[in-house]
Amino acid sequence: MIDAAGLRVIKAISDHGSFTAAAASLGYSQPAISQMVRRLEDRTGTVLVERLGRSVRLTEAGQVLARHANPVLAALDAAEAEVAAIAGLRAGRVRLMAFPSSSSTLVPRALALVKQRFPDVHVTFSEAEPPESLAALRSGECDVAVAFAYEGTDLARGEEDLDSFVTRPLLEDEVRLALPLNHPRAKATKIKLSDMADEPWIAGCPRCRGHLLSLADRAGFNPDVAFETEDYVAVLGLVAEGLGVALVPDLIRRSAGNPGVVTLPIDPASRRTVYAVTTPDLQRVPAVAATLDALCEAATAKGVCTG
Amino acid sequence: MIDAAGLRVIKAISDHGSFTAAAASLGYSQPAISQMVRRLEDRTGTVLVERLGRSVRLTEAGQVLARHANPVLAALDAAEAEVAAIAGLRAGRVRLMAFPSSSSTLVPRALALVKQRFPDVHVTFSEAEPPESLAALRSGECDVAVAFAYEGTDLARGEEDLDSFVTRPLLEDEVRLALPLNHPRAKATKIKLSDMADEPWIAGCPRCRGHLLSLADRAGFNPDVAFETEDYVAVLGLVAEGLGVALVPDLIRRSAGNPGVVTLPIDPASRRTVYAVTTPDLQRVPAVAATLDALCEAATAKGVCTG
DNA sequence: ATTTTTGATAACAAATTGTTACAATTCAAC
DNA sequence: GTTGAATTGTAACAATTTGTTATCAAAAAT
């Protein structure tokens, strides 16, 4: 019934003492004010303005509206300012989820970039493997997920539909074989997986284990998985102690290298692609876009970012 | 830019979780909500709602608006309620100015009527002679004036323009001659002013003095005005002490009768009319109308109220 | 008295806000 | 899988609201 425009008009009249001056202060023509007041009076069923020949004065009811105008308009302005701050990257919160091995360098570098450029944009961060991070994205618990897909498999393992997501490739990550330093083949420049068919294997996260099984199958053997752990530092530790060999993405070696371990390219080569993932809607949120950009830039030092 | 309607829509979406439910809760069709959100997003240049297939969720910016919605809408409702209270006579203030001799019975009775009918309407009251009360009405210092005009003269003494006022006759007040009880003519039933040409006179307020001079002139003499006072109780006291005779409106005698004084009709008769005066705008304010009605009713006991 | 200032009104233009009908999508259930 | 109910988006249109210009009438100031 009464809206912000009406209050603005009443307040202008109260402040300036005439319709004409109120109109000028609001950038309207004088008849616009006349009609606005008339409409308000019709709607409220009350006289709001006393016409005294040349000047006007608010009645008690008009003064009531004028008194309420300030808080209401101030609150509206505040709301607008807050939204504008988010739109202008002077505020905003982005909830990022990334898989553990990305946390070591890629994500911290991206967070630093965002913070440097937009100090008031807050990126919160938590670790999760791709299936959970994508589920969190879908359910609204996070805004950006950093996930990966092994060559030839879908990002979401084929089961989830990806149409509802927007993906941005960040970098290509080569999958290498990790051997203990004292292993007989540690000096090779390249290795066939089938050569390792009789070694005990150490597997990483479930998807990595799946990838290992898939590659081994293609190489014609069934690996003996002696240990499984999601913690890649532990994987490398186990390898260093000579308890087995493992497939590890290059990112791991570079960020958490273990001096007792060497990694070699495998033949045929295999890679995984690391993506930043979000939704089409969120992609248009400035703070989210800035985070994606930062991830992209942080990645270019290591890989190719097309975006 | 952002208005109350927009906030209402965002709040409804936040509360109900879908456009359809929000539309139902606001009595709109679903496309109305879709378009409203789209407009808001265009205006703010920000994504406010994440579309997740079947349901929707507010983005951070959307949540900001939803959070501001409550205070703004509550303040608007409060403003509306206050105005409605004034319109519905559950609130309101009327500033009444009346000339002194009306204060004794007419005005108190009217105030009591208003208070009985509309306990939350506050009528404040102050005394002023007609010229000042009308000036106060014009300048906005009061809402209703109780004034009088002697027969044949304008309410505002001819100088002021009455077009800008609305008048409502309350009662006719006969002008009588006050004599001390022991005056030789105290037993007469009617008296010609010319019979009193040689008496000392006591004059009331300036306008009353003017009326005395005018009547005396018509009766062919020039009265010897021995005392002047605006206080009619004093006038009657002076008369009772035999210090002179006076013209007093009947209202005075009835409300402040002095046992040492008799009042007689004069010939030719003279009356004054008591009016309630306000402005056309204020007349439409319910509390003012109620006060006018009460004055009218309070007067019917004594005179004729046409209104 | 005349001029300037101010509000009201009429007629019209433009923007807004809403509706209905229908297409497209999602999600759950069979 | 496939169907079906539920939900959002879009297009076309109608109604309302909101603003402008031109003009009038009244009030104040000179």
Side-chain angles (χ1 to χ4, degrees):
Chain A
M1 182 160 162
I2 294 176
D3 59 348
L7 290 187
R8 227 183 303 273
V9 166
I10 289 290
K11 174 176 153 57
I13 293 171
S14 167
D15 287 349
H16 297 94
S18 82
F19 284 16
T20 301
S25 83
L26 294 175
Y28 289 154
S29 64
Q30 167 266 313
I33 306 296
S34 272
Q35 298 176 81
M36 189 68 170
V37 170
R38 183 195 164 87
R39 273 195 298 272
L40 281 175
E41 290 186 330
D42 286 350
R43 288 182 198 166
T44 58
T46 311
V47 184
L48 300 175
V49 175
E50 260 182 282
R51 279 80 167 176
L52 310 155
R54 191 139 117 178
S55 83
V56 295
R57 189 183 20 239
L58 296 182
T59 63
E60 189 189 9
Q63 288 167 12
V64 163
L65 289 191
R67 176 159 47 78
H68 280 86
N70 273 326
V72 169
L73 297 178
L76 278 177
D77 284 350
E80 229 169 90
E82 273 193 55
V83 172
I86 291 173
L89 285 162
R90 294 184 308 281
R93 170 221 58 189
V94 177
R95 296 158 302 172
L96 177 68
M97 278 186 148
F99 58 90
S101 54
S102 72
S103 329
S104 52
T105 59
L106 178 66
V107 166
R109 191 174 304 185
L111 297 193
L113 277 175
V114 172
K115 179 153 193 116
Q116 172 200 329
R117 292 175 186 162
F118 310 109
D120 299 322
V121 170
H122 289 276
V123 182
T124 65
F125 163 61
S126 58
E127 287 190 346
E129 294 290 340
E132 299 101 78
S133 62
L134 295 182
L137 188 56
R138 185 178 305 279
S139 77
E141 290 162 48
C142 87
D143 304 306
V144 176
V146 176
F148 60 86
Y150 284 103
E151 211 169 24
T153 71
D154 258 356
L155 180 65
R157 216 161 188 180
E159 30 152 286
E160 305 233 21
D161 42 1
L162 277 179
D163 317 350
S164 59
F165 290 141
V166 175
T167 64
R168 197 146 149 189
L170 294 179
L171 53 83
E172 302 278 321
D173 197 12
E174 193 186 9
V175 176
R176 298 167 73 104
L177 181 72
L179 296 173
L181 259 186
N182 58 0
H183 189 280
R185 308 294 300 271
K187 294 286 198 294
T189 56
K190 184 184 281 189
I191 247 174
K192 283 189 194 305
L193 278 199
S194 50
D195 297 344
M196 296 288 125
D198 298 328
E199 300 276 346
W201 286 83
I202 300 160
C205 71
R207 296 181 75 187
C208 312
R209 182 179 197 276
H211 187 236
L212 164 62
L213 296 181
S214 154
L215 287 184
D217 185 57
R218 227 179 297 164
F221 71 99
N222 195 18
D224 160 31
V225 176
F227 299 94
E228 288 184 72
T229 170
E230 297 210 351
D231 181 353
Y232 266 102
V233 175
V235 169
L236 295 183
L238 293 169
V239 170
E241 292 299 326
L243 296 173
V245 298
L247 288 181
V248 296
D250 200 37
L251 261 188
I252 304 295
R253 181 187 57 89
R254 286 196 260 178
S255 62
N258 183 313
V261 172
V262 291
T263 72
L264 306 175
I266 61 176
D267 182 29
S270 175
R271 6 165 54 85
R272 65 176 190 180
T273 308
V274 176
Y275 297 92
V277 189
T278 187
T279 68
D281 287 327
L282 291 174
Q283 189 184 23
R284 296 171 44 223
V285 172
V288 169
T291 304
L292 291 181
D293 289 344
L295 280 168
C296 214
E297 284 186 52
T300 47
K302 320 192 159 186
V304 182
C305 174
T306 57
Chain B
M1 182 161 162
I2 293 177
D3 59 346
L7 290 187
R8 227 183 302 272
V9 166
I10 290 289
K11 174 175 151 56
I13 293 171
S14 167
D15 288 348
H16 296 94
S18 82
F19 285 16
T20 301
S25 83
L26 294 175
Y28 288 156
S29 65
Q30 168 266 315
I33 306 296
S34 270
Q35 297 177 86
M36 189 67 171
V37 170
R38 183 196 166 87
R39 274 195 296 271
L40 281 174
E41 290 186 331
D42 286 350
R43 288 182 199 165
T44 59
T46 311
V47 184
L48 300 176
V49 176
E50 259 183 281
R51 280 78 167 177
L52 310 156
R54 196 139 113 174
S55 84
V56 296
R57 184 177 337 114
L58 295 182
T59 65
E60 189 188 9
Q63 287 167 13
V64 163
L65 290 190
R67 178 160 45 80
H68 280 87
N70 272 327
V72 169
L73 297 178
L76 278 178
D77 283 351
E80 227 169 271
E82 274 194 53
V83 171
I86 291 173
L89 287 162
R90 295 184 308 280
R93 170 221 58 192
V94 178
R95 295 158 303 173
L96 176 67
M97 278 186 148
F99 58 90
S101 53
S102 72
S103 329
S104 51
T105 59
L106 178 66
V107 166
R109 190 173 306 184
L111 296 192
L113 276 176
V114 172
K115 179 155 193 114
Q116 172 200 329
R117 292 174 187 165
F118 309 110
D120 299 322
V121 170
H122 289 276
V123 183
T124 65
F125 163 60
S126 58
E127 286 192 345
E129 294 289 342
E132 300 103 76
S133 61
L134 294 182
L137 188 57
R138 184 177 307 277
S139 75
E141 291 162 45
C142 86
D143 304 305
V144 175
V146 175
F148 60 87
Y150 284 103
E151 213 168 24
T153 72
D154 257 357
L155 179 64
R157 215 161 187 176
E159 29 153 286
E160 306 234 19
D161 45 359
L162 276 180
D163 317 350
S164 58
F165 291 140
V166 174
T167 62
R168 196 145 148 191
L170 294 179
L171 53 83
E172 302 278 322
D173 197 12
E174 194 186 7
V175 176
R176 299 167 72 104
L177 180 72
L179 296 174
L181 258 187
N182 58 358
H183 190 282
R185 309 293 299 272
K187 294 285 198 295
T189 57
K190 186 185 278 189
I191 248 174
K192 284 191 194 305
L193 278 198
S194 52
D195 295 345
M196 297 287 125
D198 298 329
E199 298 278 345
W201 284 84
I202 300 162
C205 71
R207 297 181 74 187
C208 311
R209 182 179 198 276
H211 185 236
L212 164 63
L213 296 180
S214 152
L215 287 184
D217 184 56
R218 227 179 298 165
F221 72 99
N222 194 20
D224 161 29
V225 176
F227 299 94
E228 287 184 73
T229 169
E230 297 209 354
D231 180 354
Y232 266 101
V233 174
V235 169
L236 295 183
L238 292 169
V239 171
E241 291 300 327
L243 295 172
V245 299
L247 288 182
V248 298
D250 199 36
L251 261 188
I252 305 295
R253 179 188 57 88
R254 287 198 260 177
S255 63
N258 182 315
V261 173
V262 292
T263 72
L264 306 175
I266 61 177
D267 182 30
S270 175
R271 6 164 54 84
R272 66 176 188 179
T273 307
V274 176
Y275 297 92
V277 188
T278 187
T279 69
D281 287 326
L282 291 175
Q283 188 184 22
R284 297 173 41 224
V285 172
V288 169
T291 304
L292 291 181
D293 288 344
L295 280 167
C296 213
E297 284 184 52
T300 46
K302 319 189 163 195
V304 182
C305 174
T306 58

